[in-house]
Each structure stands twice: as structure tokens, then as C-alpha cells.
Amino acid sequence: MKRKLILLALTAALLLLWGCAGQTADAGDTEDLEEDLIVVGVCQVGAESDWRVANSESIKAVFTEENGYQLLFEDAKQKQENQISAIRKFIQQKVDYIVLMPISETGWDSVLQEARDAGIPVILVDRMVDVEDESLYTAHIGSDFEAEAALAVDWMEETYGDDPVNIVHLLGTVDSTAQLGRTEVLEEAVERHDNWTILTQLEGDFTQAKAYEVMCGYLSKGSTDIHVVYCENDNEAYGAIEALEEYGYTCGEGGVAVISFDATGTCLNLCLEGKIALAVECNPLLGELVEEVIQTLEAGDTPAKHTYVEETCFTRGDLTEEFIAERAY
């Protein structure tokens, strides 16, 4: 009798544990979604940069149960196929909204059509998509990357005038909206200035490690007269500075001018130190703007198709330790 009681107790415990394990929503599960909450599926690029981490934190801070949401968050680890799988998972789970930070601009028509067929609005954050039918996404929130690049070009024109400018260009993730915009404006400016030369274009993929690797590979071929290193995000700038200094270059006044995009805290400290000449802001705190779109849709209204955040740029003279400490990212 005692053995039977023990077996019954063990069975009950196992059933209880199995029931608890079922509390986490998985692909195709809908029973765990809260009916009284707005369910938002977020498909993030990854955590490849300080900007990306701040962007994810901004989203997670807004879409909480306390604010009336259930957040399903997927990290695609910088692979588009992971993002497409995540969107299809969200469709199976019957989320209310899908928030997508697209890795690249192309390749989205089919899966976004699937989301529309399921009646789920898709909100793009940060980057854009290149689709034949723009009604496949409801709204886009992010930065004007061409305007950001124009700030960098203006600074270069004011700084160098008619002097020769030899540029090493570190590209971000190829075919992403940020890379395309920041590259296009620089290349057009080089065409307008006979004294500007792009020495090389290297794929840094928005990461410090890759930027360091490709920069070292370029510098190892021999001494080059470099005036500007145009880095398409902060983390690339960190890798470039590390490589330049290893190869005997000075970053800052009298040496190589490093231009960076994002202007996160570490970048601004390096700018204040003088190692980064120009930090162009790219605001990652987009969570509240995404919520505004969702609340507009919840009210039965139509949100703006595109919303761009206001941004500026910084040089050493614009910064103080106090100013940097007070910034949210």
C-alpha cells in the first residue's frame, strides 16, 4: 500500500510539473496568450551593436503586462531566415501585431503577404523593406539615414574645404536600409568633390569584431595616407580605432578623423576624448513611437505611414561628461 501511495504521489508531481512547463507559449501554441492583453510579436535583428541592445530595451520597457501587452520577443541572430521563421511563428500564434526590424530590404513579399492574409498588421522599426505592394506593412518608424549621412558630409566639407580627403569606408550590413542610405550619400558626395577619394570599402557588418578584422587586413598591406574613416555605426568605429592604433595611426586631432553613426554613450565618451571626430545621432528609443502606432490602430484610426525621429550630430566641443551621463543611451 505504501508503494502505491508513493507512485501516486510521484505521478501527481509529474503531472503538476508538466502543467507548469506548458505555461510558455511556443510555435503554434495559442492557449497561453492572454485574452485581455494586446499580444505583440517582435522580431529583432539581434544584439550585434550597442544601438541594437538599446533598441530592444526600449521595446521591452514599453510592451509590458502592466501597460496592457503580452510581448513575444524573437532574436534573429542576424539571419533573415530566422526572421521569416519568427514571423510565421507569430502568425500561427495569432498575435495582434507584428513588429519587424528587417535585416535587409529585400525578400519580404511572401511572408508579409501571409501576415496580411492572417489580418495581422506589420509595423517596421528602424529599417525599411523593398516590396512591390507597400500595403504589406502598416507603418514604419525609424531614422532618416540619408539625412544622417548628409550631416557627416557637411562636416567633412567644412573641415577639409579644398584639401585632399582620402576615405576608408566601413559599410554596415549590406542591403540594410541604414547601410544603403549612409553609403549612397557618401558616394554621391565623393562624385561631387574631385579632392575626395574612397580608398577602399570594407564590410564591417555593424560589429566591432568584423570592423577590426577587415581594417587590420587593409592596413597590413602597407602604410596609407588616410584622412577619414567613415564608419556606419559606433561598433565599427571602435573596431576601426583599435586597428588604426595597432598600426601606428593617431585617431583625432592631427591624425585620422573617425566618423561614426549612432552616438551611444561609449561613442560620445570617445568623441569627448578626441578619438572620434564626429558622432552622428541615430536614436534607438523607438518603443513609445511603436506603441503610438498600435494605440492608433486600436482606436480604429490610420497611423502615419512613415515616422522619422529627430536627430543631430556631435563634435568634441558639443560634449561634457554631465551631458553624456544624462543621456538615456
Side-chain angles (χ1 to χ4, degrees), residues 84-231:
I84 292 172
S85 295
I87 292 172
R88 289 184 171 137
K89 177 179 175 180
F90 292 149
I91 293 170
Q92 292 174 357
Q93 292 174 310
K94 299 181 181 180
V95 302
D96 297 307
Y97 299 94
I98 293 173
V99 176
L100 170 65
M101 295 76 164
I103 289 175
S104 62
E105 290 202 347
T106 57
W108 299 105
D109 295 79
S110 295
V111 73
L112 294 188
Q113 181 67 55
E114 292 171 30
R116 184 167 70 177
D117 291 345
I120 303 173
V122 175
I123 302 165
L124 305 178
V125 173
D126 177 28
R127 305 172 182 177
M128 274 290 297
V129 295
D130 181 7
V131 290
E132 290 186 9
D133 182 359
E134 291 194 350
S135 68
L136 291 177
Y137 66 91
T138 300
H140 164 250
I141 299 161
S143 299
D144 185 335
F145 299 115
E146 288 82 0
E148 290 177 357
L151 292 173
V153 167
D154 289 346
W155 179 86
M156 290 169 65
E157 290 173 338
E158 294 174 5
T159 301
Y160 294 98
D162 295 328
D163 294 337
V165 185
N166 293 333
I167 304 163
V168 171
H169 179 195
L170 284 172
L171 294 87
T173 301
V174 174
D175 291 332
S176 67
T177 309
Q179 180 271 313
L180 292 170
R182 292 166 184 166
T183 294
E184 179 182 4
V185 172
L186 175 64
E187 290 178 342
E188 289 176 351
V190 170
E191 290 181 3
R192 295 195 308 269
H193 296 81
D194 294 336
N195 56 319
W196 291 18
T197 303
I198 295 180
L199 299 172
T200 186
Q201 290 180 307
L202 308 169
E203 294 183 14
D205 204 24
F206 289 136
T207 70
Q208 181 171 344
K210 185 63 180 293
Y212 171 78
E213 175 189 338
V214 296
M215 196 71 191
C216 284
Y218 175 71
L219 296 174
S220 67
K221 297 175 182 178
S223 179
T224 305
D225 190 15
I226 302 171
H227 301 112
V228 172
V229 178
Y230 182 97
C231 305

Side-chain angles (χ1 to χ4, degrees), residues 23 36 45 96 108 155 163 168 171 214 217 233 243 275 283 307-308:
Q23 298 302 310
D36 58 339
V45 170
D96 297 307
W108 299 105
W155 179 86
D163 294 337
V168 171
L171 294 87
V214 296
N233 83 335
K275 290 191 176 185
N283 191 336
T307 300
Y308 295 107

Side-chain angles (χ1 to χ4, degrees), residues 227-281:
H227 301 112
V228 172
V229 178
Y230 182 97
C231 305
E232 292 192 344
N233 83 335
D234 287 350
N235 290 78
E236 287 186 345
Y238 309 153
I241 291 170
E242 184 181 1
L244 285 163
E245 292 182 340
E246 281 189 14
Y247 279 84
Y249 290 83
T250 299
C251 297
E253 188 173 353
V256 178
V258 176
I259 295 174
S260 181
F261 292 86
D262 285 352
T264 53
T266 300
C267 171
L268 293 185
N269 278 310
L270 286 171
C271 189
L272 181 61
E273 187 180 338
K275 290 191 176 185
I276 289 178
L278 181 72
V280 182
E281 183 179 35

